[in-house]
Amino acid sequence: MGSVARLAALLAVLALRAADPAGAVAGGDTFSALTSVARALAPERRLLALLRRYLRGEEARLRDLTRFYDKVLSLHEDSASPVSNPLLAFTLIKRLQSDWRNVVHSLEASENIRALKDGYEKVEQDLPAFEDLEGAARALMRLQDVYMLNVKGLARGVFQRVTGSAVTDLYSPRRLVSLTADDCFQVGKVAYDMGDYYHAIPWLEEAVGLFRGSHGQWNTEDEASLEDALDHLAFAYFQAGNVSCALSLSREFLLYSPDNKRMARNVLKYEKLLAESPSWAAAEPVIQRPNVPHLQTRATYEELCQTLGSQPTHYQIPSLYCSYETSASPYLLLQPVRKEVIHLEPYVVLYHDFVSDLEAQKIRGFAEPWLQRSVVASGEKQLAVEYRISKSAWLKDTVDPMLVTLDHRIAALTGLNIQPPYAEYLQVVNYGIGGHYEPHFDHATSPSSPLYRMKSGNRVATFMIYLSSVEAGGATAFIYANFSVPVVKNAALFWWNLHRSGEGDGDTLHAGCPVLVGDKWVANKWIHEYGQEFRRPCSSSPED
């Protein structure tokens, strides 16, 4: 690309938004896109370099201290009286008067640690915020729920679904990444602080077990200890109604910290409760999973996600078929697209190899500097919410000629008018840790929706391009239609959101399942009603 073309592309990108680019990541939004998480590797590399310099300085200092120690020790090990020789007597007095003081108050140690702290303070502004830690912890809980993952397995680095006595491996990583006791404690504490004891208890249990296994060994990087884990777990059990466990854990806590008056009072309280109600000791309370009021289809949604893709096979339903699609378009006659009909009602098709690896890479590259936390329409406002974890950017076709070519290809396949304002700009989305989008409609279901600001009607169709593959999870689940489509790299999924009457198709309720492992990118082209009058004629029949 020449300098003029590069300048034109830059001006086109700048025209996308008047706001600051998302390259300056807002604090607390790192976890919501995997590309932002990947950027966090850079400041950690800088911290590693700082720590390496610190270690080298400390190693030199310790070598010098070892030399001094060995010198003095050899004098004490000499059988001859070290004070009979006036030279030795002098050096003894000098050591005790000045040498030891210089060793103990050496500036070298403070200079080394000061350099490390100064370097950290320079990097600190680029580090994830506490909200990112909370978001990442909630992501692990989400994956735990949706894919029925075993917490003990996750702590060992394996992804296993446990149903009764059956254990299913959902994903086998090439390298096991196990969690420490402190890691598990932090996840459990996030749930604990939210009053979510359903999730807090298994993670805190794992933390307690790992802390016990380390026999009280403390690591420099740890924030918590066995006592912290016992303290939180005991109260979590109490809140969940299991007083016996709360009492047992509190007594164990007092073994390590016998002077803790608060815990001693808790022990007396739990003993009194059990004495007054002995039935509590025998009963095993059932901890209910927290309810999600806005998600009425949770069971179906999670079941479809767990299949990791469950579209019907063609031999089971003869009306489903594969073909080379030309759409009677001259554009596609020489290069037809492989079409797979996934479902008939709602009509959902998958176009394989719709984009090339190079095109997908370029689209991701164009969008990455402009990614911002994805929002959803809430009345007339747009809000960032917990049930949609991703970042997105909007790309005009003026960014690069390749996007114009992409629009021509979409128009040729769908037969629809996708020129603004009859279609929205390309929305590129990168999902975060456990990134998902719970069941929703693409079309507006309220007259006050911001979608109508375009003055081009509702979203009649969705064209979604998979710009990457994932190792596991991330399927697109159609809830009421009861099927899911796995992520197929470079393919595009198309469906109608509205009936020909203009009414919304309730069967298009769909979700982006949480990404279990991988970096999921998609690009959405939403096409509106206006401009399609002669391309998809209306009908008064509700069945059309």
Side-chain angles (χ1 to χ4, degrees), residues 220-266:
T220 303
E221 68 271 18
D222 288 350
E223 185 173 326
S225 63
L226 175 58
E227 291 94 318
D228 293 320
L230 288 169
D231 189 1
H232 285 77
L233 182 58
F235 190 73
Y237 266 126
F238 171 68
Q239 289 293 95
N242 194 331
V243 182
S244 295
C245 279
L247 176 59
S248 175
L249 292 162
S250 299
R251 285 172 173 167
E252 183 180 353
F253 178 98
L254 288 176
L255 294 176
Y256 304 106
S257 185
D259 297 329
N260 191 296
K261 295 180 180 179
R262 176 179 57 83
M263 191 60 72
R265 288 194 298 270
N266 285 350

Side-chain angles (χ1 to χ4, degrees), residues 17 22 25-26 28-36 367 370-378 381-394 426-432 435-438 440 459 520-524 526:
R17 299 184 185 274
V25 179
D29 264 352
T30 300
F31 77 98
S32 60
L34 219 60
T35 185
S36 299
W370 303 95
L371 290 172
Q372 294 183 345
R373 180 70 183 269
S374 298
V375 295
V376 299
S378 177
K381 298 181 179 179
Q382 297 197 5
L383 305 172
V385 290
E386 180 63 21
Y387 57 84
R388 187 183 188 189
I389 302 298
S390 62
K391 286 185 178 180
S392 54
W394 298 87
L426 192 70
Q427 186 199 52
V428 182
V429 183
N430 181 222
Y431 288 81
H436 70 142
Y437 193 174
E438 287 181 359
H440 63 283
R459 287 173 173 168
K520 181 182 176 183
W521 288 80
V522 301
N524 298 305
W526 283 302

Side-chain angles (χ1 to χ4, degrees), residues 306-539:
Q306 289 163 17
T307 61
L308 306 180
S310 63
Q311 71 270 33
T313 54
H314 300 99
Y315 67 84
Q316 293 173 320
I317 304 178
S319 56
L320 302 180
Y321 63 92
C322 294
S323 65
Y324 282 101
E325 181 67 35
T326 63
S327 300
S329 165
Y331 188 88
L332 297 174
L333 283 175
L334 294 177
Q335 192 176 1
V337 175
R338 291 187 297 147
K339 171 183 175 181
E340 179 183 358
V341 179
I342 300 292
H343 208 267
L344 295 178
E345 293 181 5
Y347 181 73
V348 179
V349 296
L350 187 69
Y351 297 109
H352 291 266
D353 296 317
F354 178 75
V355 293
S356 66
D357 286 341
L358 180 60
E359 287 173 324
Q361 181 182 352
K362 288 181 72 174
I363 294 170
R364 296 196 304 266
F366 292 144
E368 185 170 357
W370 303 95
L371 290 172
Q372 294 183 345
R373 180 70 183 269
S374 298
V375 295
V376 299
S378 177
E380 296 184 359
K381 298 181 179 179
Q382 297 197 5
L383 305 172
V385 290
E386 180 63 21
Y387 57 84
R388 187 183 188 189
I389 302 298
S390 62
K391 286 185 178 180
S392 54
W394 298 87
L395 297 180
K396 293 183 178 181
D397 59 7
T398 51
V399 169
D400 190 88
M402 185 268 290
L403 296 179
V404 178
T405 303
L406 190 71
D407 280 351
H408 289 330
R409 200 180 307 156
I410 296 172
L413 268 177
T414 62
L416 298 174
N417 184 350
I418 65 166
Q419 294 303 308
Y422 307 122
E424 298 172 41
Y425 298 126
L426 192 70
Q427 186 199 52
V428 182
V429 183
N430 181 222
Y431 288 81
I433 305 171
H436 70 142
Y437 193 174
E438 287 181 359
H440 63 283
F441 293 107
D442 280 356
H443 61 274
T445 57
S446 166
S448 61
S449 170
L451 288 178
Y452 290 113
R453 292 174 188 165
M454 292 180 66
K455 302 186 185 303
S456 55
N458 209 341
R459 287 173 173 168
V460 68
T462 294
F463 198 93
M464 184 174 71
I465 308 166
Y466 294 115
L467 299 175
S468 68
S469 61
V470 297
E471 282 86 343
T476 303
F478 287 82
I479 311 305
Y480 295 141
N482 199 34
F483 72 96
S484 61
V485 183
V487 175
V488 180
K489 185 182 179 184
N490 296 344
L493 202 61
F494 172 81
W495 67 88
W496 298 106
N497 292 308
L498 307 180
H499 293 294
R500 287 183 180 271
S501 63
E503 295 296 319
D505 187 346
D507 286 337
T508 62
L509 183 74
H510 64 286
C513 295
V515 179
L516 185 57
V517 182
D519 188 8
K520 181 182 176 183
W521 288 80
V522 301
N524 298 305
K525 174 67 76 170
W526 283 302
I527 306 164
H528 284 238
E529 291 176 280
Y530 298 173
Q532 322 306 335
E533 292 85 352
F534 300 105
R535 298 166 186 262
R536 193 192 188 224
C538 297
S539 170

